[in-house]
Amino acid sequence: MASKVILVTGASGLVGSAVQKVALEEHDVGDKWVFVSSKDANLESEAETMALFEKHKPTHVIHLAAMVGGLFRNLKFNLDFFRCNMKINDNVLHACFVHDVNKCVSCLSTCVFPDNITYPFDESNLHDGPPHDSNFGFAYAKRMLDVMNRAYNSQHKCTFTSVIPTNVYGPHDNFNLQDGHALPGLVHKGYLAKKENNPFVVWGTGSPRRQFIYSVDLARVIIWMLREYNEITPMIVSVGAEDEISIKEAAEMVVRAYDYKGKIVFDTSKSDGQFKKTASNELMRTYLPDFKFTPMEQAIQETVDWFVKNYDIARK
Ligand code: NAP
Ligand code: GDP
């Protein structure tokens, strides 16, 4: 009999696909993995969420499912981001409680931290002030996950915790030009610019700064947390503050991955969003001092190669 039954919500997405890949590499551990998407249950529905847990009886949960989007989708749908994510998170954590799940690791994001803050911020700053205006709906809903984790622990001794990744990218991302994040948007635009011999258009000034991490690296840390991390306190997963780069530098890496020789243009009519959200990875380094992040040039090349190979089926 399998020692753990690990249910992964949001398994068809960017992070969930990477968790599937890493879990496959560890097939000899003997756990039973159950990967689900919205096709298996709409987690906004309490009844469907309960039925899903009843069916699979998980002992452990990696909760990734969420309404997700880049800056421009957030600007348009703050209310939807708030309501959808509040419902999903309340249903999933309540189902974990009712079904005696031993541990649940959920996912926050560094874009939910206060906007007006001293950098680099750390886990203790999560609730210190209002988030950036552009994504306050998403941010407050995600912050409530941490509130619920603490409340389930104080009232019922549950081990529900969370991971806080910086900007993630990789295969199976949402490459939609309007809704997606910066990196997949740039990968898609680089593809079109090269194919159509057009200028490569970067939105905004290119000066905002981000800490990018590869989805496969994040998946390794999340699986480690599921097995080894027993605190309720969330843990930021990021490259160091010194590895933060500008959107312009990220765009140049995409250009190199395509060997694109055309013009790069900055459309400054588009919003820059938050200038930076530099996060400290000190807590993660106390647990995982030797963890090696995939070099960004290599990870972008792998992402570009995946996108080119899977252009017809990629989310775009
Ligand atoms: P994604 O690629 O958009 O995937 C979202 C996943 O959630 C999909 O599997 C989707 O299922 C599922 N989902 C959405 N609504 C659902 C619903 N109502 N019921 C059931 N499942 C639903 O997102 P991602 O980038 O992998 O994000 C995963 C987690 O990481 C999220 O919690 C996100 O906030 C967090 N995160 C992401 C980033 C980033 O840069 N991408 C950064 C920090 C944190 P379908 O495929 O069936 O729609
Ligand atoms: P954020 O990191 O949460 O702010 O969200 P994004 O991943 O959407 O990154 C937004 C930043 O990237 C802003 O400075 C945008 O102006 C810039 N950017 C440049 N090109 C693109 C693009 O094609 N898509 C998106 N979403 N952002 C872009």
Side-chain angles (χ1 to χ4, degrees):
M1 198 176 128
S3 50
K4 290 188 177 73
V5 179
I6 308 172
L7 176 74
V8 183
T9 71
S12 54
L14 165 68
V15 183
S17 303
V19 168
Q20 293 201 46
K21 177 185 157 77
V22 175
L24 262 181
E25 290 168 7
E26 320 184 313
H27 54 87
D28 53 336
V29 176
D31 294 328
K32 180 181 175 194
W33 289 85
V34 181
F35 299 105
V36 296
S37 73
S38 67
K39 292 195 180 70
D40 301 278
N42 175 5
L43 300 173
E44 283 191 66
S45 152
E46 185 175 0
E48 288 191 34
T49 308
M50 282 299 178
L52 182 79
F53 275 66
E54 192 52 51
K55 179 174 173 192
H56 296 292
K57 300 191 172 25
T59 61
H60 293 71
V61 172
I62 295 177
H63 171 40
L64 307 171
M67 179 176 176
V68 177
L71 167 65
F72 299 93
R73 190 177 188 205
N74 272 277
L75 281 167
K76 278 191 281 188
F77 300 115
N78 266 296
L79 177 65
D80 294 355
F81 272 100
F82 182 78
R83 295 192 68 219
C84 174
N85 287 315
M86 286 295 292
K87 283 188 213 165
I88 290 179
N89 296 335
D90 187 40
N91 289 335
V92 169
L93 290 197
H94 184 62
C96 286
F97 165 62
V98 170
H99 287 268
D100 283 328
V101 164
N102 292 326
K103 198 191 283 187
C104 174
V105 180
S106 300
C107 212
L108 274 64
S109 165
T110 49
C111 65
V112 319
F113 273 84
D115 183 35
N116 188 2
I117 193 126
T118 310
Y119 297 105
F121 53 67
D122 66 29
E123 292 80 0
S124 69
N125 301 123
L126 185 59
H127 302 280
D128 282 355
H132 193 262
D133 259 358
S134 58
N135 68 343
F136 68 92
F138 177 78
Y140 279 118
K142 284 286 186 177
R143 285 186 192 184
M144 289 310 117
L145 254 176
D146 175 57
V147 172
M148 284 193 281
N149 284 345
R150 283 189 280 144
Y152 273 110
N153 183 257
S154 77
Q155 202 171 322
H156 298 297
K157 303 275 174 284
C158 299
T159 307
F160 298 166
T161 188
S162 59
V163 57
I164 314 186
T166 47
N167 286 55
V168 189
Y169 66 96
H172 301 276
D173 207 338
N174 177 6
F175 294 89
N176 183 283
L177 294 176
Q178 305 305 322
D179 290 348
H181 287 100
L183 221 297
L186 293 168
V187 167
H188 191 173
K189 286 192 280 189
Y191 176 90
L192 295 176
K194 172 133 183 171
K195 188 168 157 222
E196 294 162 4
N197 204 17
N198 280 333
F200 176 53
V201 183
V202 181
W203 289 349
T205 60
S207 55
R209 302 182 69 75
R210 299 287 184 265
Q211 287 155 294
F212 289 100
I213 57 171
Y214 193 34
S215 55
V216 180
D217 295 337
L218 173 59
R220 290 191 204 289
V221 179
I222 289 176
I223 292 175
W224 173 85
M225 283 180 80
L226 188 81
R227 299 195 196 290
E228 310 290 342
Y229 185 75
N230 294 318
E231 307 301 321
I232 307 306
T233 311
M235 191 176 93
I236 291 172
V237 174
S238 178
V239 294
E242 66 285 359
D243 292 320
E244 183 178 61
I245 62 167
S246 66
I247 295 289
K248 177 170 183 276
E249 288 169 302
E252 286 165 352
M253 285 191 205
V254 171
V255 160
R256 284 197 288 280
Y258 279 112
D259 195 26
Y260 168 80
K261 305 286 185 208
K263 242 170 106 177
I264 304 180
V265 176
F266 293 87
D267 179 354
T268 54
S269 70
K270 296 276 192 188
S271 168
D272 265 350
Q274 207 164 358
F275 178 66
K276 65 177 188 173
K277 37 187 179 174
T278 320
S280 161
N281 67 0
E282 214 171 285
L283 179 65
M284 175 190 158
R285 284 304 182 197
T286 62
Y287 288 99
L288 299 169
D290 301 322
F291 186 84
K292 298 250 181 311
F293 285 95
T294 308
M296 196 166 167
E297 295 269 1
Q298 178 192 329
I300 287 200
Q301 189 68 61
E302 287 178 17
T303 306
V304 163
D305 292 347
W306 183 90
F307 184 68
V308 171
K309 195 166 162 215
N310 295 282
Y311 184 75
D312 292 336
I313 56 154
R315 263 188 302 166
K316 54 185 189 310

